[in-house]
Amino acid sequence: MTRPEAHVVAETDRQVTARRLLDSSAQLSYDPAHEVDWDTPLDSAFHGMSPEWSTLFGTAYWDDMTPEQQRELTRQEAASVACTGIWFEMILQQMMLRDFYAKDPTDPAFQWALTEIADECRHSIMFARGAAKLGAPAYRPRRVAVELGRVFKAVASGEAAYAAILVAEEVLDVMQRDWMRDERVVPFVRTINNIHVVEESRHMKFAREETKARLRGAGLVRRQVNALAVAIAAYVIVTNMVNRQVYANAGLDVSRAVREAGANEHHKAMLRSSCAGLMEFLDSAGLLTRPARLVYQRANLI
């Protein structure tokens, strides 16, 4: 098979995947403005996330907290995760718009990219309203993360962009699959998680296919550089998911909470388990290099 013929096959496969995703989106998508119960007042008897996903679950501090404090902490942490999700979804949208700028609008992949961007816009509004309903402030990533994100969204392309998108979505997906099934979690958050899981499954499929497609023919140096870039992006995302201000807003001693959360082996194990499938994919794609693996280990993702 000649190189031009191989290129045609790859493009056709890509288009087929995009068409399937477009069909799936047309059959099963949600409007959070109508699907989520925004009107019922927040019931403080519920958690904001599965308690096992709290950064303090399994620590001595968690055992010292009252049930009311535990529930308030999980609500604040869920809001922080949502705000981090908004931040990264805005990066994602800009990378995809830049990637498909001035390309063929009749290409199903182009149309899927716009569909995914539309999904992310709805998700960001949904997360914002959800965080507000949880009684949380506008949590933001640390300033250094914001500036790194500004650079990443401007320069990341190809497999680096799509693998980073996949990393962020995979970590959230495993968490939210637990939360949406947990009857201890406040019902409107469960609905938000269900919507996000259903629609993000299509986004992850596209990100995996694009990552593999962009890596075809990539040389060793390019793989090494992009593997490290994706790992650093993952580290920044994960370490900014829970703002330390959540502890103050839950009425806790911030210094003790940060110290015990940082040493919490249970939470580290939860993160590692959530990323098992992701790491397997990155390894198969040649993006789990030795330097990248060290970064993932530092982020407790492997």
Side-chain angles (χ1 to χ4, degrees):
M1 181 178 290
T2 65
R3 290 181 61 86
E5 288 172 338
H7 177 71
V8 169
V9 171
E11 286 294 300
T12 300
D13 290 344
R14 184 167 175 260
Q15 290 173 349
V16 168
T17 297
R19 287 191 189 281
R20 287 175 178 168
L21 294 174
L22 285 167
D23 290 343
S24 175
S25 180
Q27 294 170 16
L28 185 59
S29 290
Y30 298 96
D31 181 358
H34 299 102
E35 297 287 344
V36 180
D37 179 6
W38 300 113
D39 298 326
T40 302
L42 175 67
D43 187 342
S44 61
F46 287 93
H47 287 275
M49 63 166 67
S50 296
E52 291 78 9
W53 276 101
S54 172
T55 55
L56 287 179
F57 186 89
T59 67
Y61 205 172
W62 179 268
D63 294 336
D64 289 344
M65 294 161 60
T66 66
E68 291 76 15
Q69 286 177 315
Q70 292 173 351
R71 291 193 293 269
E72 180 60 31
L73 175 61
T74 63
R75 291 194 293 269
Q76 294 296 322
E77 288 178 312
S80 181
V81 170
C83 290
T84 301
I86 294 169
W87 166 67
F88 191 77
E89 284 181 344
M90 293 185 73
I91 293 174
L92 179 160
Q93 292 171 53
Q94 293 178 72
M95 289 193 299
M96 292 192 73
L97 279 171
R98 183 163 49 80
D99 186 34
F100 281 90
Y101 174 72
K103 290 186 177 178
D104 180 3
T106 67
D107 183 348
F110 181 100
Q111 295 167 26
W112 167 253
L114 294 184
T115 301
E116 181 169 338
I117 290 166
D119 287 347
E120 298 297 5
C121 285
R122 291 195 307 276
H123 293 170
S124 294
I125 295 170
M126 175 176 71
F127 285 158
R129 293 184 68 179
K133 186 165 180 174
L134 285 169
Y139 291 114
R140 293 183 177 87
R142 292 185 291 274
R143 180 60 181 271
V144 64
V146 171
E147 298 307 320
L148 286 172
R150 197 185 306 279
V151 173
F152 188 76
K153 69 182 177 62
V155 302
S157 62
E159 64 272 17
Y162 286 99
I165 289 170
L166 183 63
V167 167
E169 291 177 342
E170 287 266 7
V171 174
L172 276 176
D173 182 71
V174 175
M175 289 183 183
Q176 292 181 330
R177 285 180 185 274
D178 285 348
W179 305 353
M180 74 183 194
R181 294 188 289 258
D182 194 336
E183 294 185 357
R184 296 169 297 176
V185 175
V186 65
F188 83 89
V189 170
R190 294 178 64 193
T191 303
I192 287 173
N193 292 330
N194 182 68
I195 291 172
H196 197 245
V197 164
V198 169
E199 297 187 346
E200 288 295 327
S201 66
R202 295 189 286 262
H203 301 182
M204 289 188 290
K205 172 67 173 176
F206 188 68
R208 284 174 181 261
E209 293 301 315
E210 287 297 300
T211 299
K212 291 188 290 187
R214 305 303 176 95
L215 278 169
R216 292 191 186 105
L220 177 62
V221 173
R222 175 174 153 186
R223 286 178 184 269
Q224 290 282 336
V225 170
N226 284 332
L228 185 58
V230 172
I232 292 171
Y235 177 86
V236 172
I237 293 165
V238 170
T239 57
N240 279 273
M241 275 190 173
V242 177
N243 190 305
R244 61 184 294 161
Q245 190 61 32
V246 302
Y247 305 120
N249 292 335
L252 305 180
D253 179 327
V254 175
S255 296
R256 180 185 177 187
V258 170
R259 183 173 64 252
E260 295 201 24
N264 188 355
E265 292 301 325
H266 169 81
H267 189 67
K268 293 175 183 178
M270 293 287 281
L271 285 174
R272 286 193 294 270
S273 67
S274 74
C275 291
L278 170 64
M279 294 301 151
E280 183 178 340
F281 171 78
L282 293 175
D283 192 21
S284 69
L287 292 176
L288 195 57
T289 59
R290 185 183 298 252
R293 186 181 292 272
L294 292 174
V295 177
Y296 288 123
Q297 289 174 340
R298 186 168 180 82
N300 299 303
L301 298 182
I302 193 172

